[in-house]
Amino acid sequence: RQGYEDPHWQYPAASYGDDYIYQSHQWQPVAWQEDRDLRQGEPYSKSTNYRDQHYYRGYHPNLATTPLGQDRTQTYNSYNESYAASARREWAAGETLGSDSGEASGQPQEPSLLLQYRELGLSSSSSELSQYIHDSADHYDPTLSGTWNPAQAGEPLVSTPAPVVPLKFLLPHMAVCFGARGQLVLVCPHHPAEGQLAHVELHSLEVILHDTKELEELQAFPGPLAREDLHKVDVVTFCQQKIATSCDLSTQSGRDSSLLWKLLVLLCRQNGSMVGSDTAELLMQDCRCRQKYKRQSPVANLIGLMDDEWMSCQPGSLDLITGEVPPVVETQAQIVEKFTKLLYYGRKKDALVWAMRNQLWGHALFLSSKMDPRTYSWVLTGFTSTLATNDPLQTLFQLMSGKIPQAALCCGDATWGDWRPHLAVMLSNKVGDMELNHRAIITMGDTLAGRGAVEAAHFCYLMADIPFGYFGAKADRMALLGSSHRQAFAQFARMEAIQRTEIFEYCQRLRQPESFLLPFQVYKLLYASCLADYGLPAQALQYCEQIATVLLGQDPASHPVLAQQVMKLAERLKLSDPLLLEMPEQDETLEPDWLVQLRACCREWEVR
């Protein structure tokens, strides 16, 4: 062609027209390559037609006059025979291709793939051949441009593509997987084809992880707690060990955690039942120190006197009625005598003021109760004003007055003091309105939860019989005992929280054998999966049996996902059942009855 002086571009038209694949990707002229790059953004059909026409006009002078819109299939049909004849002559010459292409690449060039397909009879249709050329030009396969062996000309075409992607492993490696029964399976890198024996090792995860903290906690817990051979002494011992090892009594959080464990011990010893006085004794026992609540002098305006009147009533001041200076009163008898003397003259209000000022609250309250209700309320307010704000007596009097105690709204603050005495006084002194008492305890729990004291809040919720909820329902007050469900699930579903909730469920079952916590069953499944991961499949299977028993007692369709997951885990762990292992070989296909029933319920739900 004009403009190209390099002798490598002077190809024979017939011989190089067939080797379209090699030329289109290896020896493209610069001018055609630039045209192709400029037209990459054009539609597929347009760029393809242009490239094909440009190629045949450039390398085949006979096609230079072909109209641009002529069908490419007709062009292939008209020159198909000339291509085949020319290729045969080229093959007979032996090294015709190698004269030009071989010098440039240093390797012998294979015959045209189009000719191979033609001679081997793989395709006799010119339209199929043209489609092959079209596909090869657009979808280049580097494996087709390998070295050609002339001996293959008379044999069936066998494709031996070279690997395009490097091997993932250059050397033999060890394959590892986890078994369903708490085992680690290792396949050693041996070559049985070379005479080496295949070697498979089975390792127990319980042995591998024997020194980890998580496995020690799993083994120390006497779960599942619904076993017939379990005694509640084992549960009490576990709780006491947790108090001694995991509760830092120097911190408020540690004391709250210890209190929650002690509550579980109390419930377990009393078979899940308790009264308010038992809990109050537990609360006061756990108090580190008894606070001294300082009493205050009654405020003058609460008694109804101005400052001048209050000073005139002080000892040593002139009595305006008698005109005498009363002596300084020092003894209790003199105070009572003065109170009686004022009543001689019918001065009830002055007698009340005298009694309130000298802490004769019994006399003042009794006298005011026989007077009008307003006076009684006035004296009662004066009495409560002498108590400290955080005094538990304030909590009791406010509760008995039909109000939510201020302690329920302010507890948990460092300046307020300990919350335990306030809850103890509310639990031990039930007022007439039980609904008010219930709301006061729940309010105290909400206040503690808002201040981050989750375990203290859950103690209050247990006292108010708040039911357990679900993790996704943020409006519920608790889902796992001692863990907030408003945090991330990984921090929420802690092993200790699951164990603590299971102990509470066990205590409830001691009182009512058929009772259970339905929202807690999903965390039992999570705990069973953890047991299987740490090489304890037998205990994990027992948990699956417990969950299945609960679901079969209910409607499994109400919790379909939970039922299916329990069934899948149980099917993997069923051979860990000692009863199945003792069966004869012909009975190995048998399954526990509960698993058969659970599978039937799941299939029924799917059909429904």
Side-chain angles (χ1 to χ4, degrees):
R1 294 179 59 194
Q2 296 180 359
Y4 295 92
E5 299 298 331
D6 192 343
H8 292 291
W9 300 115
Q10 301 174 4
Y11 302 128
S15 62
Y16 280 85
D18 290 341
D19 198 5
Y20 178 78
I21 298 177
Y22 186 83
Q23 291 180 6
S24 62
H25 294 274
Q26 300 291 337
W27 297 100
Q28 295 175 359
V30 178
W32 177 61
Q33 181 66 32
E34 293 177 354
D35 293 341
R36 181 184 178 185
D37 295 340
L38 293 175
R39 291 177 175 270
Q40 286 180 356
E42 296 182 5
Y44 176 82
S45 59
K46 182 178 179 180
S47 61
T48 302
N49 293 334
Y50 172 81
R51 185 180 61 188
D52 294 341
Q53 296 296 335
H54 189 90
Y55 170 79
Y56 283 102
R57 288 199 307 271
Y59 291 91
H60 299 276
N62 297 332
L63 298 179
T65 58
T66 303
L68 184 62
Q70 181 178 353
D71 186 22
R72 189 171 53 184
T73 303
Q74 298 176 1
T75 302
Y76 300 151
N77 292 335
S78 61
Y79 289 96
N80 188 22
E81 295 298 333
S82 63
Y83 292 165
S86 176
R88 290 189 181 93
R89 290 193 302 269
E90 180 185 42
W91 183 255
E95 295 297 329
T96 303
L97 285 173
S99 61
D100 294 331
S101 176
E103 293 177 0
S105 61
Q107 297 178 356
Q109 179 66 24
E110 65 177 297
S112 170
L113 293 177
L114 177 62
L115 178 60
Q116 298 174 26
Y117 275 72
R118 180 72 174 180
E119 291 182 345
L120 295 177
L122 298 181
S123 178
S124 59
S125 172
S126 60
S127 61
E128 292 179 4
L129 294 175
S130 64
Q131 182 65 30
Y132 169 75
I133 294 176
H134 171 72
D135 293 339
S136 299
D138 293 336
H139 305 285
Y140 172 65
D141 188 359
T143 63
L144 298 177
S145 61
T147 304
W148 172 258
N149 185 4
Q152 296 179 359
E155 299 176 1
L157 183 61
V158 179
S159 176
T160 58
V164 180
V165 181
L167 296 176
K168 185 176 182 181
F169 300 99
L170 298 180
L171 298 175
H173 66 285
M174 179 176 293
V176 182
C177 67
F178 292 96
R181 297 181 57 189
Q183 295 173 337
L184 182 66
V185 183
L186 304 180
V187 181
C188 297
H190 290 179
H191 297 275
E194 299 179 0
Q196 297 182 359
L197 295 178
H199 189 69
V200 179
E201 298 180 1
L202 300 179
H203 299 271
S204 173
L205 291 175
E206 184 179 4
V207 176
I208 296 176
L209 305 174
H210 71 281
D211 56 347
T212 59
K213 180 181 178 181
E214 292 78 6
L215 181 60
E216 292 178 356
E217 293 181 357
L218 290 172
Q219 292 176 337
F221 185 67
L225 300 183
R227 295 183 290 113
E228 297 180 356
D229 59 340
L230 177 69
H231 198 275
K232 64 181 183 180
V233 175
D234 299 333
V235 180
V236 173
T237 303
F238 175 79
C239 295
Q240 292 175 346
Q241 291 177 353
K242 296 295 291 186
I243 295 173
T245 58
S246 63
C247 298
D248 185 7
L249 300 181
S250 62
T251 62
Q252 183 65 38
S253 177
R255 293 193 295 270
D256 293 342
S257 179
S258 174
L259 179 63
L260 208 53
W261 285 112
K262 289 182 178 181
L263 176 64
L264 295 177
V265 171
L266 178 63
L267 289 173
C268 189
R269 286 176 175 174
Q270 299 186 172
N271 294 331
S273 61
M274 61 181 179
V275 295
S277 59
D278 297 333
T279 311
E281 181 180 358
L282 178 64
L283 288 168
M284 299 309 298
Q285 176 187 359
D286 198 63
C287 285
R288 297 187 64 201
C289 60
R290 303 294 178 86
Q291 297 183 2
K292 302 297 182 181
Y293 302 100
K294 184 178 179 181
R295 294 184 178 272
Q296 305 173 1
S297 300
V299 182
N301 56 6
L302 288 178
I303 303 178
L305 301 177
M306 300 301 292
D307 293 340
D308 296 339
E309 297 177 346
W310 179 259
M311 293 301 298
S312 64
C313 296
Q314 295 297 325
S317 60
L318 180 64
D319 191 346
L320 300 179
I321 298 177
T322 60
E324 300 177 355
V325 178
V328 178
V329 180
E330 295 181 354
T331 63
Q332 185 73 13
Q334 292 175 337
I335 296 175
V336 175
E337 183 180 358
K338 176 66 176 180
F339 176 77
T340 306
K341 188 175 181 180
L342 290 173
L343 291 178
Y344 288 162
Y345 296 96
R347 298 167 58 182
K348 295 181 181 179
K349 184 176 182 180
D350 294 338
L352 289 176
V353 172
W354 174 262
M356 294 167 64
R357 187 182 56 169
N358 291 277
Q359 306 297 323
L360 292 178
W361 293 109
H363 297 72
L365 289 172
F366 181 80
L367 179 60
S368 62
S369 65
K370 301 304 179 181
M371 299 170 65
D372 57 284
R374 181 175 298 177
T375 303
Y376 176 75
S377 177
W378 170 60
V379 174
L380 185 61
T381 304
F383 168 69
T384 56
S385 66
T386 63
L387 301 176
T389 307
N390 60 343
D391 195 327
L393 287 178
Q394 284 276 20
T395 302
L396 177 61
F397 294 152
Q398 293 172 5
L399 188 64
M400 297 179 68
S401 300
K403 303 176 183 178
I404 297 293
Q406 189 177 2
L409 302 172
C410 303
C411 61
D413 191 358
T415 59
W416 184 264
D418 198 355
W419 57 273
R420 291 172 175 81
H422 300 276
L423 180 61
V425 76
M426 287 191 293
L427 292 174
S428 301
N429 301 275
K430 301 291 186 178
V431 297
D433 189 0
M434 298 301 297
E435 178 64 24
L436 176 65
N437 195 285
H438 186 262
R439 286 191 292 110
I441 297 176
I442 294 177
T443 303
M444 177 176 286
D446 294 342
T447 304
L448 291 171
R451 298 184 185 275
V454 178
E455 292 168 318
H458 287 187
F459 189 96
C460 297
Y461 293 151
L462 292 180
M463 297 300 101
D465 295 328
I466 297 297
F468 284 82
Y470 296 89
F471 174 77
K474 303 305 179 183
D476 295 339
R477 287 184 165 86
M478 60 179 176
L480 284 178
L481 196 56
S483 182
S484 175
H485 62 291
R486 291 177 176 85
Q487 56 185 345
F489 188 82
Q491 288 78 28
F492 159 72
R494 295 180 288 109
M495 188 181 304
E496 184 180 66
I498 297 177
Q499 292 174 350
R500 195 152 40 189
T501 310
E502 185 178 358
I503 293 176
F504 179 77
E505 183 188 44
Y506 169 73
C507 296
Q508 297 295 103
R509 193 179 294 111
L510 292 177
R511 184 178 60 180
Q512 298 178 358
E514 300 299 329
S515 64
F516 57 89
L517 301 177
L518 185 59
F520 178 61
Q521 305 307 311
V522 64
Y523 303 105
K524 281 187 177 180
L525 175 62
L526 182 64
Y527 192 79
S529 302
C530 187
L531 288 171
D533 292 339
Y534 280 88
L536 303 174
Q539 297 182 25
L541 184 61
Q542 292 178 358
Y543 273 100
C544 293
E545 181 179 0
Q546 286 190 15
I547 302 171
T549 303
V550 172
L551 294 177
L552 292 174
Q554 304 294 311
D555 183 9
S558 60
H559 296 80
V561 178
L562 177 61
Q564 291 177 352
Q565 295 299 323
V566 172
M567 181 186 66
K568 291 180 181 179
L569 182 59
E571 287 177 345
R572 295 176 54 203
L573 302 175
K574 63 182 180 180
L575 294 181
S576 301
D577 191 350
L579 297 179
L580 293 181
L581 294 178
E582 295 176 358
M583 291 182 179
E585 295 182 358
Q586 62 270 16
D587 295 336
E588 288 183 354
T589 57
L590 295 180
E591 294 180 335
D593 294 338
W594 58 268
L595 181 56
V596 176
Q597 297 176 11
L598 185 63
R599 183 184 295 107
C601 291
C602 291
R603 290 177 179 174
E604 180 182 355
W605 173 79
E606 292 177 356
V607 172
R608 190 187 311 172

